[in-house]
Amino acid sequence: MSRQLKKLPMSRLFYTIFFLTVFMNPGYSQQPFQIFKESSDQKSYSKAIKLEKAGKLDEAEAIYISLLNQNSKNIQVYHQLKSLYKKQNNYSKLEKTIADHIIVFPRDMQGIVELGEIYFLQDSIKKAHDYWEEILLKNSQSRSLYKGLIQVYIKYNMEEKLFETVKAGRDIFNDPAFLSHDLGRYFSRKLNYGKSADEYITFAIHNPKQIQTASNRLLKMSDREESLTHIESQLNNRMSENEPVVRTLFSKILFKIGKYEEAYFQHKELGIASKGDFKRWEIFADNLRKEKQLTLAIQAYGNMLSAVSILKESLTTSQYNTFAGKALYGLALTYEQQIIPTQATPYLAQYFPNNSFFENTLISTSKNKNDETGNSNVLNETFALYDSILTTLPRSSFSSQAHFRIGEIKFRVLHDFDGALESYFVSLQTVRHGKQYQETISRIADVLMVKGNYEDALLFLKDQLRFIRSDEDEKICLMKQCQIQFLTGEVDSALKYLDNLIGFLDIGDDIFNDVLEVKGFIDENYTRTTESGKTAFLTYMKGEQLLRQNKQSEAQLLFSSVRQSYQETPVYDEAIFREGEISVLMGDYENAVLTLTLLAQTSSGDRAAVMIGEIYEYHLNDKEEAINWYLTVLDDYHGSLLTEPVRYKIRELAEKKEIN
């Protein structure tokens, strides 16, 4: 259930922010400060603020001064008065105000540095430098003073003073990395990438617990291509000073710029000798898999498994199970990714793209014998890995995940529906809530639908609703119920389910737009049409049902019958589009083009033209003809939502043509 946060009263919120931004200053840390003693002072202060906003600066100033005279420790009034003088460039009054403040707060290093800045702004350059040197001699052990001074030197581009002060601080505190982070940012802004990288590396070497801070800075700087040579050079030069830190930084840079093998080499040189090393390898291997560097990912997970065996004696049983389980599971996912690749081709013309109601759950098997042999080997290796998880780590949290992944392969790749159900149900026994539970019940319903067991699917979902533990769990069950009613042609029931579901969902829910799309689809093609239109829609839905069961030829015949017999019905366009889409899936590109051209004069003409263009681009390798069809969208369908992405496609193809 959603909960509303209690609103913090504005007065309390103001003082909280004020405290964090002002009183965390080290200069106040050991000194008592005050805000307002009396409510009348607060009222006077509020009045002064209003006067200042109204442009009555003299009246506001008088109140601020009066309040400070009454209570010289009122920091809020001090900062407001100082701000007023700064806006007016009234340096003489600003100088006196800050000087008086320092008498009350002699340890406020920010104020002390700021007083010298006022001298500087009044063109008393020598006085400012003499003053800063004097306070540095008196407060040589104050790190905050050094930090405040270099900020001023950076602000006014006093490089000589900046470097002198940094060197002095490093000598005083015997800290080679003192102010290195600030200096790194300074050099980066000056586009001096070599020195900037050098300072960030220094910071990381001497502050290994903050290596992520240095890494983030280097990675951000590497966005500028001209910086890479300097960064890599500095990393190589500093390697011997702290190999673990520098190699870690180097690996992140190499990974970002796509030098995956070199990044792998850095990790391999670092080895795996501790729990921290194992975590580093886990993140690296997972990232390789996400970037589809599958061969390197397999090697990385293999290294993790070898290390687990070596470290076994120093690990608790729980740690061993966790580390081994993560390595095995990651390795299995990597092999599985070779079997179930993500769609690489960015199709624009899709049927309800990304709508979960029309998800294509099954993957067509390869017709190439060599591919089949290769896939078979990978399948065997994948199943062997999942078997290792289930045998070696029977009580680990990865067991239910392994059963689910096995179910995915059986269902989506092998089309072994009974075997898939067995795996999914085993997974369901060990997980009763959360994302994996939702994915599992969704998949069980999918398998039952593919098998044509719609009644069993509804009974299963009804049974799950009895034990629902969260709103998210309930949403998945309700969505699947809607989907079943929709696919089976129980349109009136489907609409009732959809209306209930819409009332249950928030606008930000993942499936909210999916549900609205389907409801609009039914309203347009069934609710607001004739009896003939309703018959055409039900025939069309039988085709969708068959298509979900991977019965492409049978489904195409039904879509074709709608095209031939129900030309005047609203669903006519969708039937033709589906018919053409199936021809593409079956490799019959000539028939697909002939079918899709029938949509030229309809509201789906833009989608059809784009799909024909994509047939020529991706399947027939005829870029010229593809461009011609994309141009048709620009010429004939001015209001199409596909205009801009098609325009981009044309430019992309034209550029490739020029290069070739």
Side-chain angles (χ1 to χ4, degrees):
M1 294 177 65
S2 60
R3 297 178 180 176
Q4 289 187 337
L5 294 173
K6 292 181 179 179
K7 290 186 177 179
L8 196 64
M10 285 305 295
S11 58
R12 287 181 59 198
L13 180 61
F14 174 83
Y15 288 123
T16 300
I17 296 171
F18 186 73
F19 176 84
L20 291 174
T21 55
V22 176
F23 301 124
M24 292 306 287
N25 181 347
Y28 298 120
S29 61
Q30 297 179 9
Q31 302 172 62
F33 58 82
Q34 296 172 359
I35 300 181
F36 296 105
K37 293 180 179 179
E38 307 290 342
S39 60
S40 59
D41 294 342
Q42 175 68 66
K43 290 178 181 178
S44 296
Y45 176 75
S46 299
K47 179 182 178 181
I49 294 287
K50 291 178 181 178
L51 288 168
E52 186 178 343
K53 288 180 178 178
K56 299 178 180 180
L57 304 184
D58 291 340
E59 294 178 49
E61 177 190 0
I63 294 175
Y64 293 142
I65 291 173
S66 174
L67 288 170
L68 268 184
N69 288 337
Q70 293 173 44
N71 179 14
S72 60
K73 293 183 178 181
N74 191 318
I75 303 302
Q76 190 174 351
V77 174
Y78 161 70
H79 281 285
Q80 196 66 36
L81 181 60
K82 192 173 65 168
S83 173
L84 176 64
Y85 289 149
K86 280 184 177 179
K87 291 174 185 175
Q88 296 175 311
N89 293 326
N90 194 333
Y91 296 124
S92 58
K93 288 186 177 181
L94 193 54
E95 178 185 337
K96 182 181 184 306
T97 301
I98 296 172
D100 290 344
H101 171 79
I102 292 171
I103 293 171
V104 180
F105 292 98
R107 296 182 185 177
D108 179 8
M109 296 303 160
Q110 180 182 338
I112 289 171
V113 171
E114 200 171 11
L115 182 58
E117 186 180 359
I118 300 306
Y119 298 151
F120 183 85
L121 291 171
Q122 295 180 91
D123 293 327
S124 300
I125 310 299
K126 186 176 185 306
K127 182 180 179 181
H129 285 302
D130 289 345
Y131 170 77
W132 282 325
E133 286 179 15
E134 182 185 348
I135 63 170
L136 198 55
L137 284 172
K138 290 180 179 179
N139 302 275
S140 61
Q141 297 300 314
S142 172
R143 287 177 176 262
S144 61
L145 177 59
Y146 281 92
K147 192 171 182 67
L149 282 172
I150 72 155
Q151 294 306 321
V152 172
Y153 295 150
I154 288 172
K155 183 177 179 180
Y156 297 106
N157 205 29
M158 303 180 202
E159 277 203 350
E160 186 177 345
K161 283 289 183 183
L162 169 64
F163 301 145
E164 282 178 8
T165 305
V166 171
K167 184 180 183 306
R170 290 178 178 180
D171 291 341
I172 286 287
F173 301 114
N174 192 26
D175 181 359
F178 182 56
L179 299 172
S180 55
H181 187 266
D182 301 83
L183 215 51
R185 294 179 67 181
Y186 171 73
F187 284 127
S188 180
R189 286 197 293 269
K190 291 285 185 178
L191 306 184
N192 191 332
Y193 302 120
K195 286 188 176 181
S196 179
D198 194 48
E199 291 296 334
Y200 286 135
I201 295 167
T202 297
F203 178 78
I205 286 173
H206 295 279
N207 301 277
K209 289 184 178 179
Q210 297 189 54
I211 189 172
Q212 191 59 47
T213 301
S215 173
N216 290 342
R217 287 292 175 185
L218 287 171
L219 289 170
K220 184 176 181 180
M221 189 161 60
S222 70
D223 289 339
R224 300 183 177 185
E225 192 174 341
E226 62 271 25
S227 72
L228 289 172
T229 303
H230 300 286
I231 295 172
E232 290 189 49
S233 176
Q234 290 297 338
L235 287 166
N236 279 316
N237 292 340
R238 306 290 298 276
M239 188 69 71
S240 60
E241 294 179 46
N242 189 328
E243 194 172 336
V245 166
V246 180
R247 285 197 187 280
T248 300
L249 291 173
F250 210 169
S251 69
K252 291 176 182 289
I253 294 292
L254 292 168
F255 189 93
K256 179 184 175 181
I257 63 178
K259 295 183 178 181
Y260 301 111
E261 291 188 6
E262 292 180 40
Y264 178 85
F265 171 78
Q266 298 299 331
H267 281 278
K268 193 171 182 181
E269 288 296 298
L270 287 170
I272 310 179
S274 67
K275 299 165 192 173
D277 287 335
F278 189 91
K279 183 65 179 175
R280 170 174 53 78
W281 271 96
E282 179 193 346
I283 294 170
F284 178 59
D286 287 349
N287 286 335
L288 285 171
R289 179 168 54 81
K290 290 171 185 174
E291 291 295 321
K292 300 180 178 62
Q293 300 299 311
L294 304 184
T295 301
L296 284 174
I298 287 170
Q299 292 177 32
Y301 287 122
N303 285 340
M304 290 164 62
L305 285 172
S306 299
V308 169
S309 300
I310 296 170
L311 294 171
K312 187 173 183 179
E313 297 303 319
S314 63
L315 300 172
T316 65
T317 302
S318 175
Q319 288 172 336
Y320 173 80
N321 287 346
T322 299
F323 291 165
K326 285 182 176 179
L328 275 170
Y329 190 61
L331 191 56
L333 285 177
T334 308
Y335 274 106
E336 185 181 333
Q337 200 165 326
Q338 295 179 76
I339 307 165
I340 309 178
T342 54
Q343 180 179 296
T345 306
Y347 291 110
L348 289 177
Q350 296 183 53
Y351 185 81
F352 284 98
N354 303 318
N355 189 307
S356 51
F357 278 82
F358 296 96
E359 178 192 10
N360 186 13
T361 54
L362 299 177
I363 295 174
S364 298
T365 53
S366 173
K367 301 295 187 292
N368 184 293
K369 285 190 176 181
N370 291 328
D371 288 346
E372 286 182 353
T373 302
N375 280 344
S376 178
N377 291 335
V378 175
L379 269 173
N380 291 334
E381 291 170 343
T382 306
F383 277 122
L385 285 166
Y386 281 124
D387 189 56
S388 289
I389 297 173
L390 300 174
T391 304
T392 311
L393 308 166
R395 296 182 181 179
S396 79
S397 62
F398 299 98
S399 299
S400 61
Q401 296 176 33
H403 280 295
F404 179 81
R405 301 314 313 176
I406 291 170
E408 287 288 272
I409 297 170
K410 288 178 178 177
F411 173 45
R412 302 192 65 202
V413 180
L414 300 179
H415 302 176
D416 175 8
F417 305 135
D418 292 332
L421 282 174
E422 183 180 349
S423 295
Y424 288 137
F425 274 114
V426 173
S427 176
L428 197 62
Q429 290 172 5
T430 55
V431 57
R432 296 299 304 175
H433 60 87
K435 185 176 180 180
Q436 190 184 329
Y437 168 72
Q438 294 154 20
E439 289 176 343
T440 305
I441 59 175
S442 179
R443 275 295 188 241
I444 290 173
D446 286 336
V447 178
L448 291 171
M449 281 190 275
V450 168
K451 291 184 68 177
N453 297 342
Y454 292 98
E455 288 297 324
D456 290 345
L458 285 172
L459 288 172
F460 165 73
L461 293 168
K462 185 178 180 181
D463 187 55
Q464 294 304 307
L465 283 167
R466 292 166 50 206
F467 305 103
I468 287 300
R469 297 188 179 184
S470 74
D471 288 350
E472 291 301 318
D473 296 346
E474 188 170 0
K475 288 172 193 174
I476 293 297
C477 287
L478 293 175
M479 192 276 280
K480 285 295 173 183
Q481 285 182 330
C482 291
Q483 191 176 32
I484 291 168
Q485 299 290 343
F486 176 57
L487 287 171
T488 53
E490 298 292 333
V491 185
D492 294 329
S493 296
L495 283 171
K496 289 179 183 177
Y497 273 100
L498 287 166
D499 286 335
N500 290 336
L501 186 54
I502 289 170
F504 189 76
L505 295 172
D506 294 325
I507 194 168
D509 283 317
D510 291 341
I511 62 171
F512 185 79
N513 286 336
D514 295 358
V515 175
L516 286 184
E517 272 190 325
V518 172
K519 187 175 188 305
F521 180 74
I522 294 174
D523 285 340
E524 182 179 350
N525 295 289
Y526 180 83
T527 308
R528 298 194 294 267
T529 188
T530 62
E531 286 303 315
S532 176
K534 286 179 168 57
T535 302
F537 183 79
L538 294 176
T539 305
Y540 171 88
M541 288 312 305
K542 287 179 183 177
E544 286 292 333
Q545 194 180 126
L546 289 169
L547 192 57
R548 192 170 187 84
Q549 295 172 356
N550 211 34
K551 297 177 179 178
Q552 295 174 347
S553 298
E554 294 94 321
Q556 191 174 41
L557 286 173
L558 284 174
F559 294 135
S560 178
S561 71
V562 173
R563 170 174 59 82
Q564 294 170 17
S565 305
Y566 299 97
Q567 292 92 338
E568 303 302 321
T569 62
V571 83
Y572 171 77
D573 294 2
E574 301 296 347
I576 293 177
F577 192 84
R578 267 310 210 191
E579 187 182 353
E581 193 175 48
I582 292 172
S583 291
V584 174
L585 291 172
M586 297 172 69
D588 188 355
Y589 304 120
E590 183 180 350
N591 189 56
V593 170
L594 288 172
T595 302
L596 291 166
T597 52
L598 298 173
L599 292 171
Q601 304 303 317
T602 71
S603 59
S604 298
D606 56 339
R607 280 195 301 156
V610 171
M611 180 170 277
I612 294 172
E614 289 180 329
I615 290 170
Y616 281 107
E617 179 182 355
Y618 297 122
H619 302 292
L620 300 178
N621 198 29
D622 188 340
K623 310 303 181 189
E624 287 283 353
E625 191 63 19
I627 290 175
N628 289 336
W629 278 100
Y630 294 145
L631 286 170
T632 300
V633 178
L634 302 184
D635 294 339
D636 299 344
Y637 305 98
H638 304 293
S640 172
L641 296 175
L642 295 170
T643 299
E644 282 308 309
V646 162
R647 206 184 301 276
Y648 177 80
K649 263 185 173 290
I650 292 170
R651 283 199 301 268
E652 190 178 43
L653 286 174
E655 286 171 5
K656 288 179 181 178
K657 184 181 174 184
E658 287 178 10
I659 293 171
N660 295 331

